[in-house]
Amino acid sequence: MKVRHTELLIHLGGILLFLSIPVLASHEPTLTLSPGISRDFMGYLLAVGYFYLNYFIFIPRLFFKRKYFLFVGSALIFFALITAIPPLFIHFPTGQLPPPPPPKQDFPVFFHINHNFLKFSIAVFLSSLLRISKQWRETEKEKLYTEIAWLKAQMNPHFLFNTLNTLYSLSLENAPESSTAILRLSDMMRYMTDESQQDFVSLEKEIEYLDNYVELQKLRFSATGGISWKKEGNSVEYRIAPLILITFIENAFKHGINGEAGVSVSIYIGVREGKLTLTVENKIVKAPASLAEERTGIGITNTQNRLKLIYPDAHELKMEQTDTSFKVFLTLQLL
């Protein structure tokens, strides 16, 4: 809502500045609205009208649909109207002549055309520039939303296959952890298919999803001592964009786990005064071939784009990498 108010104020300011040009550019000694200034003012007012017609109708319905002949034709028609209408409605008093054209101008009609060309060109240029720019931004957002939907609709296949293999091994051993692990995986899949389709979800459920993920990773590698998972703060009253944190945690397990080198992953989530803090750190080890294929690079890029789109002025993300470690620091203003 604040953004819309700002845009409205910018438009109003631009219109007032544009309409003040006839008065500010006048060479008359007083600021009275003479017939010459009134004609000029009406021409600028008609140019404002054409600006919004071009912005909302002609560019979307003609230019973007490649109806260039009709688009140019509409521009010529409105230029003619901006030139012809003011003299029809505003007349000079009897005995008072309109200002003469410049000495080198042989035909008065050319003087009127040139006089109105600047205001019309400004209206055409600005409306086209703003509308094309808006169309480009909307196309980029639509593309990003498509990528987001794709990310939200899938579960990392390697994680799923490896977890199922672990569950199979536990079931053969009749281990008591197998039933708990199955329940955790079931909760994760339910969250992926149901909750994550919303624009925002309960922060408590999002952290519960992360908790299930980390616990299943602990079970997979049977090395809980190398995995630090800490949560602090009240997450009940806040909401968050779904699956906005998981990529950083997936990345830590991808690069921080090796069967020979062991496990070294540290994850911290804190919630305080409406702000979430995520810290993820892992040692960089040579990943097994099965993990090397996991999608993480593109996942981090898409998550960065999601953060810019959903939390444009409400997040701060820092990533630090050395030869031996990788750290992520994220702060997020919650809803």
Side-chain angles (χ1 to χ4, degrees):
M1 187 65 67
K2 184 179 179 181
V3 175
R4 291 183 180 180
H5 288 165
T6 303
E7 290 180 353
L8 180 60
L9 290 175
I10 292 175
H11 276 264
L12 289 175
I15 291 172
L16 291 175
L17 181 63
F18 186 69
L19 294 179
S20 67
I21 292 177
V23 178
L24 297 175
S26 173
H27 297 290
E28 298 186 14
T30 63
L31 295 179
T32 56
L33 290 179
S34 65
I37 293 179
S38 298
R39 283 187 179 184
D40 227 11
F41 182 81
M42 179 177 284
Y44 275 86
L45 193 62
L46 290 171
V48 171
Y50 175 75
F51 172 94
Y52 286 103
L53 283 173
N54 199 40
Y55 184 87
F56 288 109
I57 298 178
F58 298 143
I59 295 177
R61 298 185 181 181
L62 300 179
F63 185 80
F64 286 157
K65 295 184 178 180
R66 300 184 178 182
K67 299 178 180 179
Y68 301 126
F69 180 79
L70 293 177
F71 177 75
V72 174
S74 67
L76 293 176
I77 290 172
F78 272 87
F79 177 65
L81 293 175
I82 289 173
T83 303
I85 287 179
L88 294 176
F89 289 90
I90 300 176
H91 305 280
F92 286 86
T94 305
Q96 180 179 345
L97 298 176
K104 294 182 179 181
Q105 192 69 266
D106 297 327
F107 301 99
V109 66
F110 291 149
F111 166 74
H112 291 297
I113 291 175
N114 292 335
H115 185 65
N116 289 284
F117 185 74
L118 177 62
K119 64 175 76 78
F120 182 76
S121 298
I122 293 174
V124 172
F125 175 76
L126 289 181
S127 60
S128 300
L129 178 65
L130 293 176
R131 186 66 198 197
I132 292 172
S133 175
K134 180 181 179 182
Q135 180 73 12
W136 179 82
R137 291 195 304 270
E138 289 177 351
T139 301
E140 288 298 307
K141 284 185 178 181
E142 184 177 350
K143 178 182 177 182
L144 184 55
Y145 275 125
T146 301
E147 293 174 349
I148 291 172
W150 177 77
L151 286 172
K152 288 164 62 174
Q154 68 171 328
M155 177 177 285
N156 190 319
H158 287 286
F159 167 76
L160 181 59
F161 295 150
N162 290 329
T163 301
L164 289 174
N165 286 335
T166 302
L167 293 176
Y168 176 72
S169 299
L170 290 173
S171 65
L172 291 178
E173 299 171 3
N174 292 321
E177 298 94 338
S178 60
S179 58
T180 303
I182 292 172
L183 183 60
R184 287 186 181 277
L185 183 60
S186 175
D187 288 342
M188 286 185 67
M189 296 182 71
R190 184 180 299 109
Y191 183 83
M192 291 287 297
T193 55
D194 297 337
E195 300 289 341
S196 68
Q197 303 308 311
Q198 305 175 39
D199 292 332
F200 293 92
V201 297
S202 165
L203 177 60
E204 183 180 28
K205 291 184 178 180
E206 178 76 3
I207 293 180
E208 182 181 346
Y209 169 79
L210 299 176
D211 186 60
N212 285 329
Y213 177 84
V214 173
E215 293 301 324
L216 286 174
Q217 290 284 18
K218 288 181 180 180
L219 189 62
R220 277 183 56 199
F221 294 98
S222 302
T224 57
I227 301 176
S228 173
W229 168 233
K230 187 177 181 180
K231 301 162 287 182
E232 289 183 342
N234 179 20
S235 60
V236 176
E237 56 184 296
Y238 298 108
R239 295 173 64 79
I240 191 173
L243 308 179
I244 202 79
L245 308 175
I246 183 63
T247 302
F248 302 115
I249 297 174
E250 281 185 345
N251 185 67
F253 281 101
K254 172 186 174 182
H255 295 288
I257 290 179
N258 183 285
E260 298 177 358
V263 180
S264 180
V265 175
S266 176
I267 307 164
Y268 168 80
I269 291 181
V271 181
R272 184 177 182 182
E273 297 180 353
K275 182 177 290 187
L276 179 142
T277 301
L278 171 69
T279 304
V280 183
E281 182 177 0
N282 63 274
K283 289 184 178 180
I284 298 178
V285 297
K286 185 178 180 180
S290 60
L291 291 176
E293 299 174 359
E294 292 187 12
R295 56 161 186 89
T296 306
I298 188 173
I300 286 183
T301 300
N302 279 314
T303 300
Q304 288 176 303
N305 290 335
R306 287 186 67 196
L307 287 167
K308 292 176 183 178
L309 177 64
I310 304 172
Y311 300 96
D313 300 312
H315 83 280
E316 182 178 0
L317 174 64
K318 296 180 180 179
M319 293 183 286
E320 299 177 359
Q321 182 171 353
T322 66
D323 293 337
T324 58
S325 67
F326 186 81
K327 299 179 182 179
V328 175
F329 305 93
L330 173 66
T331 57
L332 199 65
Q333 192 66 44
L334 298 167
L335 301 178

